[in-house]
């Protein structure tokens, strides 16, 4: 291996040989499928089994003509916003304690514990909540044990159950991104602020929050996007109340077999996410 | 003293968050050892449900598929990904930045969309569904992670180390074996473990690309949950989560998240 | 203003004593340097005074007022950090105004006082810049303005000049001294650079292994070091070890040295500065001076001065002479070295 060099003769072949296979794979398995999906979204029916679809905007029009899809989209956006909100409220203080209040070997161990669920099986973690939340489940029995009486929790198969499950799934993302940016804030800055008489709240508001904004935003994006596209979590924890844009898209592919509509809804979903980020960027930009 | 100490309150809060993160998993694990099917308390310890797993053909074959695909994904993604990151490290060429940027859509686009797009495209051009299609998808998802992780390690690599070794008279093969490889190995290993984890825990892509009868563990678990669950699912879920957590601990051993060590 | 007293302070980290039973007083309006090698506890002492740490035992008083349990944010201390610790998300104005905003001063007064402070450090007109748009020297001035603008009771400086290159550092030393006199604030300054401590401070405290070894005005510390450590840490010194004999010091080879004061029976060591040692011309009469004979092993030319290494009793002695252009001793030459009794300072080993 040698240090990075500029344009030696014959290196084009080496570059092609090294990057070619990986990018060919990415093209076949990601880029072409997404392009094909985009193409399908403009067809009247999927060009499969001898059928030929015709060019149409009907799939996109359906979204705007049938209020049902719009309502679901808004419901999904609201779900995304709520999950992001709770992840931030729960995760930021946690990252703060980890980054600035715990030191040494303890910090390393606790940090690992927090992100351990980060990669572990998402499906299984969602499933584990069913036992907690269902009627006469662990949570209800625990509450009953503390406050005996006829207190019914029964939030399984509700919107709230979906929020709890998703917050549980994505909380480590927020903790991780906030932790990374908080760790980069030097202790000197905090001590300088203290020497000038700043209270903890002032330090949080004027130094820690502004300086960890990139991490917070990264967490927001990392959570918001997959939550909008989630379908497994609402199906398991939401039951009949778990209908969101993600589950409708899934239905188009696995139950209704209206692929062009599913494709169009997917791109509308991506578009909505894009619009939300563009708007929030505008709002943030105006503030400072 | 800590710069921004929250005292005992901070510790208590941390413990509460950990409780929230682990409580359901622990409950699930405990229940998988409970003899009663109806989660009655107190727990009557038993390996009954693990025993039942051994006789469940569907789960066993799904587990074999999961491991098989994960191993293949790890091999393919490691080789291809490492090659690409070497090219990024060694050469400056036109399109390099664009190619690096292309790594983010597979990570950023919701898996629902990537998965359905694969289903649609593979069906359309005749690749169809099945284990081979899943492998195609899993490798594509794992590649960006492999390239990003190995690139990070390569970036920290100081080529002067090689020059120093060579100046002391070490022949090239020795430089590679004693200097280059030991430095890069942890990065490669972490990337490989990442790839394995991405594949082994992947549900969405597998779900869309599986055909009834041949699927992976997460898909099989999902199907079972939808049908109405039994403690058997607890048992297999406990095994799966224990396995993937052990895997992550392996990754952490070689890859410091968030630049932890100074 | 403020007198700061440190009384019998011990600070323990785990099983390690960073400071041991340390007492010192910082006078009102004085410029005090804490000097010591790394690990001597000087920064710990500064952080205890600032209120970032609390003593394990002992007391810290501001004008007789016990500071126990009072954290930094309630002590009214201005502190300048080695890294400057400017807030990267704020402009120069907001950085300097921070301490005033926290104290909820009216906006108009904040503007006037920030302008005054920036003028004091000669950075008028820089208020809208961000820290990353400033040079190292400018950043440091902002840090200084920020530390004094809210009129703290004491100004603490933690190795403030160590990140600057030499030319800039000399300029800043003069500047710092001027500003400190203008403002008249009690100032404590931590440094490992002995020259800096001698140049800047009214009083210097030398720390070693968590103890205050000696303190006093720079001239006294340099001329009359109490210990071999102070003598060698503050500048250079040749150490001679022997036994006390009738008020004089007998060296192993039999030479008798007359020290600055009659040697007590317990005295064994004396220190002589290289620039106080003269190389005698062949027939020169040493007078009342102490004389030893050695062989020049090396002559080092350093522009304004000449450094000689002289072999004596298997050791290498240092002699510094001003470069006056005359031919000095050459390597290999046997020479007589002379130094006055008042420059032969008895020290503890």
């Amino acid at each position: 291996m040698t240090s990075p060099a500029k344009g030696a003769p014959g290196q084009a072949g080496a570059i092609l040989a090294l990057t070619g296979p990986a990018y060919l794979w990415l093209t076949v398995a990601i880029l072409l499928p997404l392009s094909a999906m985009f193409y399908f979204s403009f067809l009247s029916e999927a060009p499969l089994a001898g059928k030929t679809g015709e060019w149409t905007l009907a799939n996109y029009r359906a979204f705007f003509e049938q209020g049902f899809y719009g309502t679901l989209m808004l419901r999904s956006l609201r779900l995304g916003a709520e999950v992001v909100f709770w992840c931030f409220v729960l995760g930021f203080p946690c990252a703060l304690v980890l980054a600035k209040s715990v030191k040494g070997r303890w910090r390393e161990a606790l940090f690992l514990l927090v992100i351990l669920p980060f990669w572990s099986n998402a499906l299984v973690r969602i499933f584990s909540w069913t036992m907690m939340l269902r009627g006469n489940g662990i949570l209800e029995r625990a509450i009953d044990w503390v406050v005996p009486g006829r207190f019914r929790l029964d939030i399984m198969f509700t919107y709230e159950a979906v929020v709890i499950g998703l917050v549980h799934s994505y909380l480590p993302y927020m903790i991780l991104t906030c932790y990374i940016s908080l760790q980069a804030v030097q202790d000197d800055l905090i001590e300088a602020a203290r020497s000038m008489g700043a209270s903890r709240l002032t330090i949080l508001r004027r130094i820690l929050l502004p300086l960890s904004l990139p991490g917070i935003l990264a967490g927001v994006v990392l959570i918001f996007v997959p939550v909008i596209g989630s379908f497994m979590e609402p199906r398991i924890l939401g039951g009949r109340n778990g209908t969101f844009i993600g589950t409708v898209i899934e239905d188009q592919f696995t139950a209704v077999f209206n692929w062009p509509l599913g494709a169009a809804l997917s791109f509308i979903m991506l578009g909505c996410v894009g619009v939300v980020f563009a708007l929030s960027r505008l709002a943030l930009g105006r503030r400072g | 003293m800590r710069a921004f100490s929250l005292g005992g309150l901070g510790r208590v809060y941390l413990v509460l968050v950990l409780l929230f993160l682990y409580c359901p998993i622990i409950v699930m694990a405990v229940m998988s050892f409970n003899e009663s099917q109806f989660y009655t308390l107190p727990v009557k310890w038993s390996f009954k449900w693990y025993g039942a797993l051994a006789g469940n053909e569907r789960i066993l074959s799904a587990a074999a598929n999961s491991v098989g695909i994960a191993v293949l994904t790890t091999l393919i993604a490691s080789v291809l990904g490492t090659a690409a990151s070497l090219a990024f490290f060694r050469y400056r060429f036109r399109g390099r930045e664009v190619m690096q940027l292309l790594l983010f859509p597979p990570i950023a686009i919701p898996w629902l969309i990537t998965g359905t797009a694969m289903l649609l495209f593979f069906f359309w051009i005749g690749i169809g569904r099945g284990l081979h299609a899943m492998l195609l998808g899993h490798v594509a998802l794992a590649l960006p992670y492999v390239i990003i992780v190995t690139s990070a390690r390569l970036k920290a690599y100081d080529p002067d180390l090689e020059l120093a070794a060579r100046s002391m008279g070490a022949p090239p093969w020795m430089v590679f074996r004693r200097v280059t490889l030991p430095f890069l190995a942890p990065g490669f290993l972490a990337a490989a473990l990442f790839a394995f984890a991405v594949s082994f825990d992947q549900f969405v892509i597998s779900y869309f690309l599986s055909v009834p009868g041949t699927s992976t563990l997460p898909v099989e678990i999902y199907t079972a949950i939808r049908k109405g669950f039994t403690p058997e699912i607890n048992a297999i879920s406990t095994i799966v989560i224990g396995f993937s957590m052990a895997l992550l601990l392996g990754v952490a051993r070689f890859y410091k998240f968030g630049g932890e060590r100074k | 203003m403020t007198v700061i007293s440190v009384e019998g302070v011990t600070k323990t980290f785990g099983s390690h004593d960073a400071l041991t039973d340390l007492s010192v007083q910082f006078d009102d309006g004085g410029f005090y340097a804490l000097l010591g090698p790394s690990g001597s506890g000087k920064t710990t002492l500064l952080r205890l005074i600032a209120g970032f740490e609390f003593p394990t035992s002992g007391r810290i008083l501001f004008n007789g007022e016990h500071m126990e349990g009072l954290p930094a944010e309630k002590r009214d201390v201005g502190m300048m950090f080695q890294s400057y610790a400017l807030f990267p998300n704020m402009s120069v104005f907001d950085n300097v105004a921070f301490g005033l905003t926290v104290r909820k001063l009216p906006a108009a007064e904040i503007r006037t006082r920030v302008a005054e402070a920036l003028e004091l450090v000669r950075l008028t007109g820089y208020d809208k810049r961000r820290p990353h748009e400033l040079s190292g020297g400018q950043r440091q001035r902002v840090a200084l303005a920020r530390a004094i603008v809210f009129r703290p009771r004491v100004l603490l400086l933690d190795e403030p000049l160590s990140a600057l290159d030499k030319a800039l550092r000399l300029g800043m030393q003069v500047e710092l001294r001027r500003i400190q006199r203008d403002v008249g604030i009690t100032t404590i300054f931590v440094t490992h650079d002995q020259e800096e401590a001698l140049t800047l401070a009214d009083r210097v405290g030398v720390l070693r292994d968590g103890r205050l070894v000696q303190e006093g005005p720079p001239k006294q510390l340099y001329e009359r070091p109490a210990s071999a450590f102070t003598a060698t840490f503050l500048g250079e010194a040749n150490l001679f070890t022997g036994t006390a004999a009738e008020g004089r010091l007998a060296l192993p080879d039999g030479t008798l040295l007359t020290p600055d004061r009659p040697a007590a029976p317990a005295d064994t060591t004396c220190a002589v500065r290289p620039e106080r040692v003269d190389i005698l011309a062949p027939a020169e009469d040493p007078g009342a001076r102490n004389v030893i004979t050695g062989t020049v092993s090396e002559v080092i030319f350093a522009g304004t001065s000449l450094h000689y290494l002289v072999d004596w009793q298997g050791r290498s002695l240092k002699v510094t002479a001003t470069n006056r252009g005359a031919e000095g001793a050459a390597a290999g030459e046997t020479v007589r070295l002379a130094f006055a009794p008042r420059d032969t300072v008895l020290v503890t080993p």
Side-chain angles (χ1 to χ4, degrees):
Chain A
M1 211 169 307
T2 53
S3 50
K6 244 192 167 73
Q11 67 160 242
I15 294 172
L16 199 67
L18 286 171
T19 59
Y23 278 83
L24 186 67
W25 201 296
L26 285 173
T27 307
V28 169
I30 306 262
L31 211 61
L32 288 179
L34 286 173
S35 313
M37 183 134 113
F38 194 59
Y39 169 61
F40 271 46
S41 73
F42 293 101
L43 295 181
S44 56
E45 57 183 333
L48 299 167
K51 282 183 277 191
T52 47
E54 284 173 28
W55 283 93
T56 176
L57 285 172
N59 300 313
Y60 288 93
R61 220 180 297 128
F63 177 83
F64 296 100
E65 279 170 0
Q66 298 180 30
F68 166 72
Y69 295 120
T71 314
L72 275 183
M73 191 67 234
L74 285 178
R75 196 168 130 93
S76 282
L77 290 174
R78 183 183 140 206
L79 178 74
E82 278 183 34
V83 171
V84 162
F85 172 79
W86 287 111
C87 284
F88 173 70
V89 167
L90 294 176
F92 186 84
C94 184
L96 185 61
V97 174
L98 270 178
K100 293 291 166 211
S101 199
V102 186
K103 284 268 148 91
R105 208 183 303 163
W106 267 106
R107 168 152 84 168
E108 229 165 293
L110 286 170
F111 180 70
L112 202 61
L113 265 181
V114 167
I115 58 155
L116 199 52
F118 177 64
W119 276 111
S120 69
N121 202 292
L123 171 72
V124 168
R125 285 199 294 142
I126 289 293
F127 166 66
S128 68
W129 273 102
T130 57
M131 255 160 291
M132 300 286 290
L133 296 178
R134 67 201 191 91
N136 201 26
I138 303 296
L139 209 57
E140 196 170 295
R141 280 195 234 174
I143 292 171
D144 197 56
W145 183 67
V146 180
V147 201
R150 298 301 309 146
F151 181 78
R152 296 280 296 157
L153 185 70
D154 208 15
I155 58 167
M156 187 64 190
F157 302 133
T158 61
Y159 179 82
E160 286 73 26
V162 179
V163 172
I164 292 176
L166 285 169
V167 169
H168 182 253
S169 279
Y170 291 106
L171 181 60
Y173 282 61
M174 185 62 91
I175 298 178
L176 180 69
T177 57
C178 288
Y179 174 81
I180 290 172
S181 58
L182 278 170
Q183 207 197 213
V185 177
Q186 281 173 15
D187 286 357
D188 274 4
L189 294 184
I190 297 167
E191 290 187 342
R194 285 182 59 196
S195 73
M196 286 180 267
S199 65
R200 258 150 242 268
L201 203 65
T202 309
I203 295 174
L204 189 65
R205 198 170 53 79
R206 293 205 54 198
I207 293 160
L208 291 174
L209 274 175
L211 288 179
S212 59
L213 199 61
I216 297 170
L217 291 181
V220 167
V221 174
L222 276 176
I223 294 170
F224 190 74
V225 175
V227 166
I228 300 292
S230 63
F231 70 94
M232 170 269 281
E233 297 89 343
R235 286 237 195 270
I236 295 179
L237 295 177
R240 215 170 301 142
N241 292 307
T243 311
F244 292 90
I245 196 74
T247 58
V248 168
I249 292 175
E250 187 224 332
D251 274 341
Q252 304 309 314
F253 284 92
T254 59
V256 187
F257 295 108
N258 188 348
W259 289 8
L261 179 61
L265 289 176
S266 296
F267 283 104
I268 290 172
M269 182 175 104
L270 276 183
C272 284
V273 170
V275 167
V276 167
F277 284 133
L279 286 178
S280 45
R281 204 182 162 138
L282 219 65
L284 275 174
R286 196 168 296 156
R287 205 168 50 84
Chain B
M1 200 166 94
R2 318 286 154 261
F4 193 84
S5 175
L6 295 166
L9 206 67
R11 307 284 162 88
V12 170
Y13 181 74
L14 216 57
V15 169
L16 285 177
V17 168
L18 286 176
L19 215 63
F20 170 67
L21 285 176
Y22 283 91
C23 207
I25 299 171
I26 292 167
V27 165
M28 181 184 77
V30 169
M31 286 307 162
S32 73
F33 292 103
N34 193 351
E35 196 184 270
S36 161
Q37 186 168 352
F38 305 103
Y39 309 117
T40 48
L41 291 173
V43 173
K44 211 171 152 208
W45 298 96
S46 141
F47 282 97
K48 180 173 148 192
W49 306 108
Y50 288 87
L53 276 185
N56 189 328
E57 281 303 325
R58 282 179 72 105
I59 294 273
L60 288 182
S61 79
N65 288 340
S66 267
V67 173
I69 290 183
V71 168
L72 282 175
T73 299
T74 306
L75 286 176
I76 300 171
S78 295
V79 172
L80 300 191
T82 306
S85 56
L86 279 176
F88 290 142
F89 173 69
R90 264 176 92 157
Y91 305 110
R92 300 282 171 277
F93 50 93
R94 209 181 307 159
R96 183 171 172 269
E97 278 73 28
V98 178
M99 285 173 89
Q100 284 172 320
L101 226 61
L102 269 176
L103 296 174
F104 290 96
I107 298 178
I109 293 177
W111 283 340
L112 168 66
I113 294 182
T114 324
T116 51
M118 285 177 185
L119 167 66
L120 174 154
F121 179 69
F122 293 166
F123 227 87
W124 190 32
I125 64 163
I127 295 175
R129 296 179 296 174
L131 294 178
H132 60 292
M134 285 186 221
L135 183 65
L136 251 167
H138 284 199
V139 172
L141 284 189
L143 266 174
Y145 292 102
V146 171
I147 297 179
I148 289 168
V149 172
T150 44
S151 292
R153 188 74 190 171
L154 280 168
K155 217 170 156 187
Y157 181 71
D158 181 1
D160 283 354
L161 288 177
E162 278 182 12
L163 297 186
R166 270 164 52 193
S167 74
M168 288 181 269
W173 63 267
M174 198 165 157
V175 172
F176 182 77
R177 209 177 65 81
R178 300 282 301 276
V179 179
T180 316
L181 200 60
F183 182 85
L184 298 178
F188 293 155
L189 214 64
L193 287 169
F194 257 92
F196 191 94
V198 167
S199 169
F200 188 74
D201 292 327
Q202 181 49 250
F203 161 68
V204 179
I205 303 290
S206 309
Y207 173 67
F208 287 113
L209 297 180
S210 65
V211 276
T214 36
S215 55
T216 58
L217 261 186
V219 179
E220 207 51 58
I221 293 173
Y222 182 71
T223 317
I225 296 168
R226 302 280 288 160
K227 263 191 232 154
F229 46 67
T230 64
E232 250 181 282
I233 309 176
N234 283 346
I236 186 66
S237 296
T238 303
I239 294 174
V240 166
I241 210 151
F243 184 69
S244 49
M245 283 189 176
L247 210 64
L248 184 88
L249 284 174
V251 177
R253 169 90 177 64
F254 298 106
Y255 186 80
K256 289 292 159 208
F257 294 95
E260 176 64 14
R261 285 245 164 87
K262 292 210 178 107
Chain C
M1 291 290 271
T2 316
V3 178
I4 292 167
S5 322
V6 174
E7 296 180 353
V9 163
T10 296
K11 176 69 187 175
T12 313
F13 293 111
S15 60
H16 166 73
D17 273 6
L19 291 175
T20 313
D21 192 23
L22 189 139
S23 298
V24 61
Q25 181 159 318
F26 304 99
D27 294 333
D28 180 23
F31 198 131
Y32 204 106
L34 293 174
L35 177 67
S38 62
S40 60
K42 54 191 192 305
T43 296
T44 304
L45 179 54
L46 200 74
R47 292 174 62 81
L48 286 169
I49 294 167
F52 293 130
E53 319 266 356
F54 298 103
T56 310
S57 65
R59 312 194 297 168
I60 290 171
L61 309 154
F62 284 20
N63 280 343
E65 180 196 339
H66 195 357
M67 288 286 120
E68 185 177 21
L70 210 59
E73 54 268 35
K74 303 210 169 113
R75 280 195 191 184
D76 239 0
V77 291
M79 177 133 176
M80 216 174 126
F81 292 80
Q82 191 169 2
S83 64
Y84 312 145
L86 298 181
F87 305 131
N89 54 321
M90 297 181 202
S91 65
V92 167
F93 180 92
D94 288 336
N95 261 287
V96 177
F98 191 86
L100 303 172
T101 331
V102 164
R103 285 171 177 74
K104 299 202 167 55
L105 264 61
E109 195 184 343
I110 291 179
R111 273 196 301 278
T112 332
R113 289 196 29 195
V114 170
E116 279 170 17
L118 286 178
E119 197 188 329
L120 190 70
V121 298
R122 302 181 190 194
L123 276 179
T124 304
Y126 282 80
D127 27 355
K128 290 204 175 58
R129 300 270 188 106
R130 295 268 169 162
H132 65 87
E133 296 168 329
L134 302 175
S135 71
Q138 290 168 338
R139 271 181 225 179
Q140 168 153 49
R141 287 153 192 263
V142 176
L144 182 61
R146 190 177 72 167
I148 55 179
V149 71
F150 58 92
R151 294 171 197 156
R153 306 173 77 173
V154 54
L155 177 61
L156 306 175
L157 308 166
D158 186 6
E159 306 246 5
L161 304 179
S162 61
L164 300 178
D165 61 55
K166 191 165 182 188
L168 210 49
R169 196 158 63 220
L170 291 177
M172 271 315 287
Q173 286 178 357
V174 176
E175 206 64 344
L176 199 58
R177 192 69 248 219
R178 171 184 67 84
I179 291 166
Q180 196 266 340
R181 286 220 182 93
D182 281 4
V183 181
I185 185 174
T186 311
T187 301
I188 307 172
F189 177 95
V190 156
T191 180
H192 65 269
D193 181 339
Q194 42 106 0
E195 204 179 311
E196 198 165 275
L198 295 179
T199 323
L200 278 171
D202 308 324
R203 288 182 82 84
V204 178
V206 180
L207 277 91
R208 183 196 193 186
D209 296 337
R211 290 171 195 275
L212 188 67
V213 186
Q214 192 180 359
E215 63 118 8
K219 189 167 158 61
Q220 183 195 329
L221 242 62
Y222 187 80
E223 305 280 336
R224 298 279 163 261
S227 66
F229 174 78
T230 313
T232 49
F233 190 69
L234 268 181
E236 289 190 293
N238 296 304
L239 296 176
F240 296 97
T241 316
T243 46
E246 294 166 20
R248 309 220 292 176
L249 201 64
L251 300 185
D253 69 335
T255 316
L256 278 176
L257 296 182
T258 313
D260 56 339
R261 58 196 140 92
D267 283 329
T268 55
T269 311
C270 64
V272 183
R273 299 275 179 209
E275 71 273 15
R276 302 295 165 84
V277 180
D278 290 324
I279 296 176
L280 295 176
E284 194 178 341
D285 171 27
R289 287 185 283 180
N290 295 312
V291 177
I292 58 174
T293 307
T295 314
V296 176
S297 65
E298 210 163 329
V299 184
I300 300 154
F301 177 77
T304 57
S305 53
L306 289 164
H307 300 285
Y308 297 91
L309 292 180
V310 179
D311 277 344
W312 171 79
Q313 299 285 308
R315 286 180 43 203
S316 200
L317 301 177
K318 288 178 219 124
V319 177
T320 303
T322 310
N323 181 7
R324 293 226 164 78
E327 282 293 314
E333 217 174 296
T334 301
V335 291
R336 286 180 304 149
L337 304 176
F339 39 95
R342 66 182 159 81
D343 293 326
T344 311
V345 185
L346 285 171
V347 294
T348 55

